[in-house]
Amino acid sequence: MTRNANAYDPTGEWYSVRLLYPLYTALGREFVIDLTACSDLEGGADPASQKSIETVRKWFQDIDQRIQVYQLRQFLQMTSLTSEEGLATWLQHHLRKPKRTDSDRDKIDFLLVQLFAHCAPPRLEDSDVTLAYVGQILGPVIGNVEMTLPESLKPLEQFTESSNSCQSLNELLSSGTLEQERKLKASVREKYFEPIAMVAFARFNFLLRRVFFRLMHQDLNAILDGLRDLELQGVSTLDCRSAQFAGDEQIGRLRMICQSWKVMFHAEYSSGQPLKMLVDLRKVVEAALGHSGKSTEQATPGAKAMAAAAGAQSAAGHSPVAEFKVVSAPPDADAESPDNAI
C-alpha cells in the first residue's frame, strides 16, 4: 500500500497524478463531464519543470470542483479500473489538500470504506471489524492511529447497534440512524480528518453496508416468497401504484423486476428511486397477503441466513454477481439513501 498521506513526497507526486489521470478521464466520460485534456499528462513524459507540476495541480483542482460525490461513488462501484493502489492514491490526493471542503470530506469518507472493503478478506466476521483492525488496514495511508476513541465519536457504537437491530430496509431508513451519523460527521468539523475519526467512520460505514445488503436481500426474498404465495392463491395482478408501478401489475413481471434488482443493487446500492420502490413494493405484497392471513414477515431461518451471507459478501466487494449500469439520482434527490452515509 502507498505511504502515509502526511509524509509528502515531491518525487511521488508526479507518479500519483499519472495514476489518477486515466481514472479522472474515465469518470468524466461516464458522466459526460466536459474535461479539458491535460497536455502535460497526455504525453506520459516526466515533468519538465515546476511550471508543469503547477499546471497539473490546477487541472486536478478544477476537475475536483466539478465532480460530485455521488458520481465518485457510482463510478468506483461500477468500474474495474481501480486497484488498491489507485484507491489509496485517490484517498491521499484529497487528504493532502491544504483546505478541504465538505465535498472533499464526503469523498474521503467514501474512499476510506471503499479501500477497506477492497482490502478486507471476503469472509471477515463483523466481530473482527474492530477499530484496531480497520486502523491496521488504513494506517499506511492515513497515518498512525491512536486507538482511543474520543467521547464525541462514541455515538457511532450506538448507531452501529441500532442499524444491526433493523429487520427491514424500511426500518433502517426510518430509524434516523443515517441522519444522525451525517450530523455527527458534520459536527466534528476538522477533527474528522484525525486518523482515529476516519477509522471510526470507516468502520461504521463498512458495517452499515453489510446491514444494507442483508436487509436488501431479505426484503427481496420476502417479496418473491410473497408473490409465490399470492400466485398459489390464484392472484395474478397487484395494484402497485404506491410503489410507482401500474395499478394492475402482473406478478410475473414483478418477479422479473425483483430478480433484476438483486443484480442492480450489487452494482449501485445508492439508487434512491429503486430503493424506495423496493421498500414500497414489500408493503404492497404484505398488504395483499394480509387479506389472506399471511405475511412476508414470516421469513424462514434459512432465508435469513442466506440474506446475511449475501450481505457480507456484497459489502466486502467480492461478489461474483454480474453488474449492470443504472442511472442514479444526485444525492439531493436521495436524502435517505444509505449511500449518503457510505
Side-chain angles (χ1 to χ4, degrees), residues 14 18 37-49 51-53 55-56:
W14 191 251
R18 290 273 302 278
C38 180
S39 58
D40 294 271
L41 290 173
E42 286 287 333
D46 289 336
S49 64
K51 181 180 178 181
S52 179
I53 295 178
T55 299
V56 169

Side-chain angles (χ1 to χ4, degrees), residues 122-326:
R123 299 191 181 279
L124 182 66
E125 297 289 338
D126 284 1
S127 58
D128 293 330
V129 187
T130 62
L131 281 175
Y133 183 73
V134 179
Q136 177 185 337
I137 297 295
L138 298 178
V141 179
I142 65 176
N144 184 52
V145 183
E146 294 290 339
M147 287 302 166
T148 302
L149 191 67
E151 286 293 327
S152 60
L153 296 180
K154 288 187 176 178
L156 285 173
E157 293 295 328
Q158 178 185 341
F159 299 161
T160 299
E161 293 177 7
S162 176
S163 62
N164 280 334
S165 67
C166 292
Q167 298 300 309
S168 68
L169 278 179
N170 186 46
E171 184 179 351
L172 175 64
L173 299 180
S174 303
S175 67
T177 300
L178 307 182
E179 181 60 30
Q180 289 174 329
E181 187 269 349
R182 284 194 288 271
K183 288 181 178 179
L184 177 63
K185 184 165 54 181
S187 71
V188 297
R189 300 179 181 275
E190 285 298 308
K191 288 186 178 296
Y192 170 85
F193 301 105
E194 295 178 357
I196 183 58
M198 290 189 285
V199 165
F201 280 103
R203 175 179 179 269
F204 168 80
N205 289 332
F206 179 79
L207 292 173
L208 180 62
R209 278 190 179 192
R210 286 190 160 183
V211 170
F212 171 82
F213 279 112
R214 170 174 59 82
L215 296 179
M216 179 269 291
H217 279 275
Q218 196 166 294
D219 274 15
L220 283 170
N221 289 338
I223 292 171
L224 290 168
D225 288 346
L227 293 175
R228 184 189 63 242
D229 289 343
L230 289 169
E231 275 188 318
L232 291 174
Q233 297 171 34
V235 178
S236 60
T237 63
L238 287 177
D239 183 350
C240 298
R241 286 173 293 180
S242 63
Q244 302 183 50
F245 292 107
D248 57 347
E249 200 69 61
Q250 293 287 330
I251 283 184
R253 182 172 181 272
L254 291 173
R255 183 183 295 107
M256 288 191 295
I257 290 171
C258 287
Q259 294 292 357
S260 72
W261 275 346
K262 280 193 173 186
V263 180
M264 178 175 67
F265 285 121
H266 275 282
E268 175 52 70
Y269 63 89
S270 67
S271 302
Q273 202 63 13
L275 184 60
K276 185 177 186 304
M277 292 165 72
L278 170 62
V279 170
D280 290 340
L281 182 57
R282 178 168 183 176
K283 292 178 183 178
V284 169
V285 174
E286 285 179 342
L289 287 171
H291 293 301
S292 63
K294 293 189 176 183
S295 171
T296 61
E297 294 291 344
Q298 299 169 346
T300 65
K304 289 186 176 181
M306 289 174 61
Q313 185 180 56
S314 301
H318 297 276
S319 171
V321 178
E323 298 181 355
F324 68 86
K325 187 186 306 182
V326 294

